[in-house]
Amino acid sequence: MSENPILRLENVTMQFGGVVAVNNLSLHVNPGEIVALIGPNGAGKTTAFNCITGVYQPTNGIVEFEGKPIVVAHPEGKMKKLYAGENAELYMSRHPIDPTPDKITKLGIARTFQNIRLWKSMTVFDNVLTAKHMLAKQNVFSATLRLARAEDKQMAEETEALLAEQDLLKYRDDLATSLPYGLQRRLEIARALATKPKLLLLDEPAAGMNPQETQELGEFVAQIKEKYGLSILLIEHHMDFVMNFSDRIYAIDFGKLICSGTPDVIANDQRVIDAYLGVSEDE
Amino acid sequence: MIRNNEKRKETILGIFLLLLLLAVMTFIDAKLPSYHIAIKVIKKASVYALVAVSMNLLNGFTGLFSLGQAGFMLLGAYTYAVLSIPVGKRAGVYQYFDGGWIQFSIPEFFSEHLGETFGLNMGIIIALLLGGLVAAFFAYLIGLPVLRLKSDYLAIATLGFAEILRAFFQWKKLGPLTNGSNLLKSYPDFGSATGYIVLIGIFIALIVLLVNSTYGRAFKAIRDDEIAAEAMGINLAKHKRMAFIISSFFAGIGGGMLAMYMGTLQALSFKSTMTYEILLVVVMGGIGSITGSVITSFLYIASMEWLLRGLDSGTFLGINAPGLFKNGFRMAVVSLIIMVVVLFFSKGIMGDREFSVKGLIRLFGGKKAKENAGGDGNV
Ligand SMILES: Nc1ncnc2c1ncn2[C@@H]1O[C@H](COP(=O)(O)OP(=O)(O)OP(=O)(O)O)[C@@H](O)[C@H]1O
Ligand SMILES: [Mg+2]
């Protein structure tokens, strides 16, 4: 913890009605790290991602990006009575910050989705190109009148480069949803990269892939991390992927952190083995 | 290299087709009297095409189910009429309201300074654009609260907005501006169908350019998957509002041109049935297909106003059967056609594909038209 983390969660709790999906979670990602978030089904991993990316406003806690708070919350309204988590008093005096997901993406956090969310009427090429819209300087008039040709050209070139890097260029004019599952996941990564993020959140990027594809994906993730100077937080069930490619791991169960550390530490932790590794054989 | 060559071929053929259309239009205008049914059909169908395309931009490309089109058309129509009636005729038109509040006419002003024909046409175009701006301004005002609503509620709210507007325009207190529930008339018209085709062609071309720009792609992203769009940095509220404003702008211009086509204007004619009629054209043409909306507008108006007229008046296709072909039979036939289209083309006649010069070359060039699914989104 000597350097300043790029992402830091402090006591983040997400409660839906009576269900505490994420419970007092604190974690951080240092620049250049690949950090994994693991846990059994329903542990609250995706919910944690949604709290970081603004899809949900957490019930309590703080999310910091590059040292600045981007999300601040404490129990409000009905939740004041219902709240079943901890540390609510810590943030009571802070003014809540609840940005929409697009604002967070603009800060430099991009993500992929567990249940792939490509734009289904668009081609492979357009899926990536459209993600560049956020960075475009042209306004709606200059865009319509094609006055920003240089920018259009640059956007198209960058898109081609991203597709080439993923070996997807040969599918450029195919509908995104016509690709095989594994390639759709890769396309989602390319689309996220198109927003030029500093931090990339991957939600089960290897889901549905065979061991060889999983291995290739791991190498690829390590490679883009270097190339674009990224930091990566990922959720994954494939344990070999997690063990081989992450610098540190957080294991959660029922929304609560049960253990964190290097892959060696995690692999030998009894709580993790009980809660997770024991049942992961058949996944 | 091959790509460039094909592009040039496309451009040349495209320009050729446009010039051909222009020549045909000029010819029709020269040969047929202005009251001829073909001229009327061309004028009305082109106006419907513009409004249908504007509706498609919102409902088809951005995925916002809005039913406020008639309201925005009303705003454009009144703005156009109120700003265009010649000053000398205002006393007659606004006879119950002391000649009305406004005592100038934009087309009249321009024709005095820039010449009879050119000035008049310029004035008409400027008044039409102002109509579009007024519609866009109202869309800007109601956009923020209304666009927060989800699908069905958005439809109800926009429909309600249009109905309230219609009642408001007939309010006596506004009489000096809107002439209350009386007719507005005597405002100028282009006179030629070519004017309609050229102007509307330009507007639709602008919409096509918009749809194929980075903003158009952002709209489609919102339609396809809002959550993904937002996660990729697209500000939902901003872009929905933008689509709503632009759509309303063109609906307003369409309303102004409809008033121009009809010659007289009354708030009563901008009922919700007009919105449904346009929605019908959009759905039958294919949600998300601009060429589909245009083609269907022409087919629909031509059948309703011309080709199927005989079904209501005794003789159709040379068959004289006054017993069967009488009032209301035309609507029965139209309903039947619509049902057949919906049954056999569940995605409208064009789906979400576009009719393009490229497709035309492929069709006549004998090359295999089927390249891959989805068609080419370009025109
Ligand atoms: N919007 C919501 N409303 C109510 N409950 C929710 C909501 N989202 C998630 N939950 C609940 O929160 C818990 C954690 O869900 P989450 O999707 O975060 O799990 P996960 O760790 O990603 O699991 P998986 O490995 O299956 O993806 C689950 O019990 C889920 O039912
Ligand atoms: Mg999950």
Side-chain angles (χ1 to χ4, degrees):
Chain A
M1 279 258 275
S2 53
E3 32 187 353
N4 294 324
I6 183 161
L7 178 76
R8 201 171 71 85
L9 272 65
E10 185 184 296
N11 299 325
V12 169
T13 298
M14 180 77 235
Q15 183 174 343
F16 299 106
V19 181
V20 184
V22 174
N23 198 343
N24 213 40
L25 178 66
S26 297
L27 60 78
H28 69 272
V29 178
N30 291 320
E33 262 188 324
I34 297 182
V35 175
L37 185 60
I38 64 170
N41 290 108
K45 306 178 295 293
T46 299
T47 306
F49 267 26
N50 286 337
C51 289
I52 299 168
T53 53
V55 176
Y56 297 145
Q57 182 187 26
T59 319
N60 193 44
I62 289 187
V63 179
E64 272 179 14
F65 182 63
E66 297 186 308
K68 285 190 212 72
I70 57 169
V71 176
V72 177
H74 57 72
E76 287 175 293
K78 266 196 305 204
M79 268 300 154
K80 266 187 185 154
K81 275 209 193 106
L82 267 177
Y83 187 62
E86 302 158 45
N87 289 323
E89 66 292 343
L90 278 183
Y91 308 108
M92 275 303 176
S93 60
R94 306 257 326 227
H95 187 70
I97 307 177
D98 177 23
T100 47
D102 58 291
K103 296 222 174 68
I104 291 190
T105 308
K106 288 203 180 93
L107 293 175
I109 304 179
R111 73 176 291 182
T112 64
F113 294 92
Q114 182 174 352
N115 46 343
I116 303 171
R117 283 181 175 276
L118 290 166
W119 293 305
K120 50 187 178 302
S121 75
M122 292 189 204
T123 61
V124 167
F125 187 79
D126 277 358
N127 259 277
V128 176
L129 183 61
T130 305
K132 291 222 152 285
H133 177 69
M134 174 191 110
L135 301 166
K137 299 222 165 48
Q138 52 192 297
N139 63 34
V140 67
F141 298 103
S142 57
T144 301
L145 299 175
R146 300 290 187 272
L147 299 176
R149 279 179 191 274
E151 191 178 61
D152 285 340
K153 190 156 166 262
Q154 190 197 346
M155 281 162 67
E157 280 169 3
E158 288 175 3
T159 300
E160 292 209 357
L162 282 167
L163 288 177
E165 174 184 85
Q166 301 266 20
D167 228 356
L168 286 170
L169 205 51
K170 51 182 172 292
Y171 305 105
R172 57 173 285 163
D173 294 328
D174 291 354
L175 279 185
T177 43
S178 73
L179 293 184
Y181 203 67
L183 293 184
Q184 290 195 26
R185 291 218 171 271
R186 289 196 151 217
L187 180 57
E188 262 212 343
I189 297 178
R191 183 177 71 169
L193 289 175
T195 65
K196 299 192 176 165
K198 296 170 192 155
L199 174 69
L200 188 59
L201 306 183
L202 304 173
D203 197 344
E204 303 200 14
M209 289 187 181
N210 63 34
Q212 195 206 327
E213 287 171 332
T214 306
Q215 177 68 22
E216 280 170 17
L217 180 76
E219 284 160 14
F220 177 74
V221 168
Q223 194 188 317
I224 55 169
K225 188 205 84 173
E226 291 303 325
K227 182 168 171 189
Y228 296 105
L230 294 171
S231 313
I232 293 172
L233 177 62
L234 58 87
I235 297 172
E236 197 37 76
H237 282 298
H238 285 81
M239 283 319 293
D240 31 349
F241 181 100
V242 172
M243 292 300 170
N244 288 339
F245 294 103
S246 40
D247 300 310
R248 286 186 304 116
I249 300 171
Y250 290 90
I252 62 173
D253 195 12
F254 296 108
K256 252 186 146 30
L257 192 65
I258 51 174
C259 179
S260 70
T262 58
D264 287 342
V265 173
I266 295 290
N268 297 313
D269 189 283
Q270 194 54 43
R271 288 163 303 179
V272 177
I273 294 167
D274 289 347
Y276 188 66
L277 293 180
V279 298
S280 77
E281 301 293 284
D282 51 8
E283 292 248 329
Chain B
M1 289 300 269
I2 296 170
R3 249 207 159 109
N4 261 344
N5 225 341
E6 254 170 37
K7 264 249 146 72
R8 189 172 317 143
K9 224 173 169 185
E10 269 170 57
T11 317
I12 292 172
L13 186 63
I15 292 172
F16 172 74
L17 287 175
L18 280 179
L19 289 176
L20 187 70
L21 175 71
L22 212 59
V24 170
M25 282 311 304
T26 320
F27 180 75
I28 290 177
D29 262 330
K31 283 288 165 198
L32 299 178
S34 67
Y35 54 79
H36 192 279
I37 186 72
I39 302 272
K40 291 200 154 176
V41 164
I42 290 169
K43 285 182 176 179
K44 187 170 181 187
S46 56
V47 172
Y48 265 59
L50 175 61
V51 182
V53 170
S54 81
M55 190 172 195
N56 211 339
L57 175 66
L58 196 60
N59 295 34
F61 287 94
T62 321
L64 294 169
F65 193 56
S66 156
L67 291 177
Q69 233 60 7
F72 295 110
M73 289 170 75
L74 176 102
L75 287 166
Y78 269 86
T79 308
Y80 173 69
V82 167
L83 294 177
S84 300
I85 297 170
V87 176
K89 300 216 165 120
R90 288 195 181 244
V93 173
Y94 288 96
Q95 54 178 318
Y96 303 108
F97 299 100
D98 273 347
W101 286 330
I102 292 179
Q103 290 303 331
F104 66 88
S105 158
I106 292 178
E108 202 174 44
F109 174 83
F110 277 90
S111 64
E112 275 163 20
H113 290 85
L114 295 174
E116 279 292 333
T117 327
F118 179 74
L120 184 74
N121 286 338
M122 281 310 291
I124 290 175
I125 291 171
I126 287 168
L128 286 171
L129 289 174
L130 287 173
L133 286 178
V134 168
F137 178 68
F138 272 77
Y140 166 82
L141 288 184
I142 70 161
L144 216 49
V146 160
L147 292 173
R148 237 182 260 150
L149 303 168
K150 290 278 175 247
S151 57
D152 305 359
Y153 298 99
L154 171 64
I156 293 166
T158 43
L159 197 62
F161 163 77
E163 291 294 300
I164 291 169
L165 216 56
R166 190 160 58 85
F168 185 65
F169 269 65
Q170 297 178 61
W171 188 34
K172 261 216 160 68
K173 289 258 162 64
L174 273 184
L177 192 66
T178 64
N179 213 11
S181 51
N182 309 301
L183 288 177
L184 284 178
K185 53 179 186 245
S186 305
Y187 45 82
D189 183 1
F190 282 135
S192 73
T194 313
Y196 281 71
I197 291 282
V198 169
L199 196 58
I200 284 170
I202 292 171
F203 291 138
I204 291 180
L206 284 174
I207 297 177
V208 170
L209 284 170
L210 169 68
V211 162
N212 291 316
S213 77
T214 180
Y215 284 87
R217 286 191 292 271
F219 295 161
K220 285 182 240 174
I222 292 173
R223 172 193 66 187
D224 280 4
D225 191 324
E226 253 188 46
I227 294 178
E230 206 175 19
M232 294 304 130
I234 296 170
N235 183 331
L236 294 184
K238 179 180 149 197
H239 285 84
K240 285 180 179 181
R241 202 178 187 194
M242 191 186 282
F244 191 52
I245 291 171
I246 295 169
S247 166
S248 304
F249 173 73
F250 288 111
I253 293 177
M257 294 189 77
L258 190 66
M260 195 161 92
Y261 157 79
M262 294 189 300
T264 61
L265 173 62
Q266 216 178 359
L268 217 56
S269 32
F270 292 83
K271 289 203 188 83
S272 51
T273 31
M274 186 178 275
T275 302
Y276 298 140
E277 221 181 355
I278 292 153
L279 181 65
L280 183 82
V281 168
V282 172
V283 172
M284 298 240 298
I287 291 178
S289 170
I290 289 175
T291 34
S293 292
V294 173
I295 292 168
T296 312
S297 297
F298 277 82
L299 289 177
Y300 176 74
I301 297 297
S303 335
M304 286 295 278
E305 305 283 320
W306 187 11
L307 305 176
L308 301 180
R309 270 283 172 210
L311 292 174
D312 268 2
S313 56
T315 317
F316 183 64
L317 292 176
I319 305 164
N320 192 6
L324 179 64
F325 296 160
K326 60 185 179 199
N327 261 353
F329 189 65
R330 180 179 54 129
M331 279 322 292
V333 171
V334 169
S335 314
L336 201 70
I337 295 174
I338 291 169
M339 263 158 62
V340 170
V341 170
V342 171
L343 278 177
F344 289 95
F345 303 87
S346 60
K347 288 183 152 181
I349 56 175
M350 294 292 285
D352 60 358
R353 285 160 306 178
E354 295 291 359
F355 180 80
S356 64
V357 175
K358 201 159 132 201
L360 209 67
I361 292 176
R362 230 185 276 154
L363 199 65
F364 290 104
K367 283 188 214 157
K368 284 265 171 289
K370 280 243 174 340
E371 213 163 58
N372 46 43
D376 42 73
N378 298 312
V379 167

